[in-house]
Amino acid sequence: MSSMSTARVVLLLTFLLMSPLMAGGNEVTSSTINWGLLIMNLLGGLALFLYGMSKMSDGMKKAAGDRMRNILSALTRNRVIGLIVGAFVTMIIQSSSATTVMLVSFVQAELMSYAQALSVIMGANIGTTITAQLVAFKLTDYALGMIAVGFIMTMFSKRETFKHFGEALLGFGILFFGMYLMSDAMKPLRAYQPFQDFMIGLENPLYGLIIGALFTGLIQSSSAFTGIVITLAMNGLITLEAGIPLIFGANVGTCITAGLASIGTIRDAKRVAIAHVLFNIGGVLIFIWFIPYLTDFVRTLSSDTPRQIANAHTIFNITVGIVFLPFTTILAKLVYKMLPDKEIETGVIPATWHLDDSQISHPAFAIELAQTEISR
């Protein structure tokens, strides 16, 4: 991270930290909410939350990316192992999108079959639940400490590995500082009756699914939206009954990200996106009928609403992965029927089969695809 970008982050943190103090000491009631300040702090906190998540993911990918590629390519011959490896890799690099990118390059290089890749995708959904579990630990009081340590490691460490882990820790701290700002901004809404009525309305599963899907598609991160839902629960602004449909909606909304990412890519990348959509939506359609039972079960595990929502998110993704795992071959065949290989016209030689311009920003993947194309 350059010194200029670091300075911008520090200035932004300072401004957002001071902004609540500029409101004065007047007590806020439902009729005297400073909407301008509330929206400014809420959007600023959301921006830091998303930036911190991106920074944390980037740092972990730089620190462990190549090792994770080796693990993926070596241990995905078995469906069950593929599921476990997908969860582990995504848990480490904190990005199911990055895991999917790796899978596309492996399928193109014929290091694994498409059906094997599907089991890893299911595992990747499980790996993303770790972020929600971390957010539920309520580490906001230590956010600035993590930012300070991460900044020192990033700026002054001589070893690249320490720099990358420092970048991840810096992002983790910024994430929690953004949570703190969002939480602080939403406190006046506890006494605002229209907002309370709206949040109670989200207990209707259909409304929760729609809101969760739309918002996740907007911010392009299901993990980030789940973190926001947990933040609402920490402030007592949302119930468990409303939180579960929202995280189900996040699983639907993240399909939008996969769809957008596959535009203009090779056909195998599109197949991965289609499989991701079918898997996520299918899981939600099955589980939505069991929300009352899931609610009762997670309440037996914890009395803390944020932890209950994080547990529901984890249980949902693990169960869906286990249920769909035996049907990966059937799912692969279905996707191939939906998006078959293009027929090659007689006498026409296609320019390239494996090159994908979207992977230029990932040199290791791009080189591997280029090698596969040269071999062809």
Side-chain angles (χ1 to χ4, degrees):
M1 183 168 64
S2 67
S3 57
M4 182 63 71
S5 61
T6 302
R8 289 174 180 171
V9 171
V10 172
L11 287 173
L12 182 60
L13 289 171
T14 304
F15 171 75
L16 289 171
L17 183 62
M18 293 297 295
S19 59
L21 302 177
M22 293 187 287
N26 296 330
E27 183 179 353
V28 178
T29 66
S30 59
S31 59
T32 60
I33 294 177
N34 187 334
W35 289 105
L37 185 64
L38 186 150
I39 293 172
M40 181 181 70
N41 286 331
L42 189 60
L43 293 179
L46 177 60
L48 280 180
F49 186 94
L50 296 175
Y51 176 77
M53 182 162 288
S54 174
K55 205 69 180 170
M56 179 179 66
S57 176
D58 287 344
M60 294 304 292
K61 280 186 283 188
K62 291 175 185 176
D66 289 336
R67 298 184 185 91
M68 295 302 102
R69 284 171 55 80
N70 294 334
I71 292 174
L72 265 179
S73 61
L75 298 177
T76 53
R77 300 301 178 186
N78 178 278
R79 292 179 188 174
V80 177
I81 295 177
L83 180 79
I84 296 171
V85 169
F88 175 73
V89 170
T90 307
M91 176 186 70
I92 297 298
I93 64 178
Q94 288 295 296
S95 174
S96 57
S97 299
T99 304
T100 303
V101 169
M102 293 184 199
L103 292 175
V104 172
S105 67
F106 290 157
V107 172
Q108 288 303 302
E110 299 181 352
L111 293 174
M112 69 170 66
S113 69
Y114 181 65
Q116 289 169 338
L118 294 183
S119 66
V120 184
I121 293 174
M122 295 175 185
N125 274 18
I126 296 173
T128 59
T129 65
I130 301 301
T131 304
Q133 293 291 345
L134 292 174
V135 169
F137 275 117
K138 303 178 183 178
L139 300 175
T140 51
D141 292 343
Y142 309 100
L144 292 178
M146 287 186 279
I147 291 172
V149 174
F151 175 80
I152 292 171
M153 290 176 66
T154 303
M155 295 299 295
F156 301 109
S157 294
K158 295 182 179 180
R159 292 182 59 181
E160 286 298 316
T161 302
F162 285 137
K163 284 182 178 290
H164 297 328
F165 279 118
E167 184 179 350
L169 183 61
L170 177 62
F172 200 49
I174 294 173
L175 181 156
F176 277 104
F177 188 72
M179 275 186 60
Y180 164 76
L181 289 173
M182 287 192 292
S183 177
D184 192 63
M186 289 186 290
K187 284 180 180 177
L189 297 177
R190 293 177 182 175
Y192 189 57
Q193 192 62 42
F195 184 81
Q196 292 178 0
D197 295 339
F198 173 75
M199 298 309 291
I200 292 173
L202 293 180
E203 293 182 5
N204 182 314
L206 180 60
Y207 294 157
L209 279 174
I210 294 172
I211 295 296
L214 290 177
F215 202 87
T216 302
L218 180 65
I219 65 177
Q220 297 285 289
S221 174
S222 60
S223 296
F225 180 72
T226 303
I228 293 169
V229 173
I230 292 174
T231 303
L232 289 168
M234 288 178 179
N235 284 274
L237 295 171
I238 195 170
T239 63
L240 176 61
E241 287 79 3
I244 290 178
L246 285 172
I247 61 175
F248 283 9
N251 268 44
V252 175
T254 195
C255 296
I256 299 173
T257 305
L260 292 175
S262 70
I263 295 175
T265 61
I266 50 181
R267 292 182 84 75
D268 271 321
K270 290 182 173 67
R271 290 188 183 111
V272 169
I274 292 172
H276 189 245
V277 170
L278 294 177
F279 170 63
N280 279 19
I281 294 180
V284 170
L285 290 177
I286 292 172
F287 239 94
I288 194 171
W289 306 103
F290 299 97
I291 288 179
Y293 303 101
L294 179 60
T295 302
D296 293 339
F297 180 67
V298 295
R299 280 205 170 102
T300 64
L301 301 177
S302 174
S303 59
D304 183 52
T305 303
R307 178 61 59 190
Q308 289 171 349
I309 293 175
N311 289 340
H313 185 233
T314 301
I315 292 168
F316 165 70
N317 281 286
I318 290 176
T319 305
V320 170
I322 293 173
V323 168
F324 276 82
L325 188 61
F327 304 101
T328 51
T329 303
I330 297 174
L331 181 59
K333 291 179 179 178
L334 175 62
V335 172
Y336 267 119
K337 287 183 178 179
M338 296 174 66
L339 190 68
D341 291 325
K342 289 183 178 179
E343 294 185 6
I344 301 174
E345 298 180 21
T346 304
V348 177
I349 302 175
T352 59
W353 285 6
H354 302 290
L355 299 186
D356 181 4
D357 290 343
S358 69
Q359 300 305 321
I360 292 176
S361 58
H362 303 89
F365 305 150
I367 290 171
E368 190 168 292
L369 292 176
Q371 290 172 338
T372 305
E373 182 62 29
I374 291 169
S375 298
R376 181 187 71 83

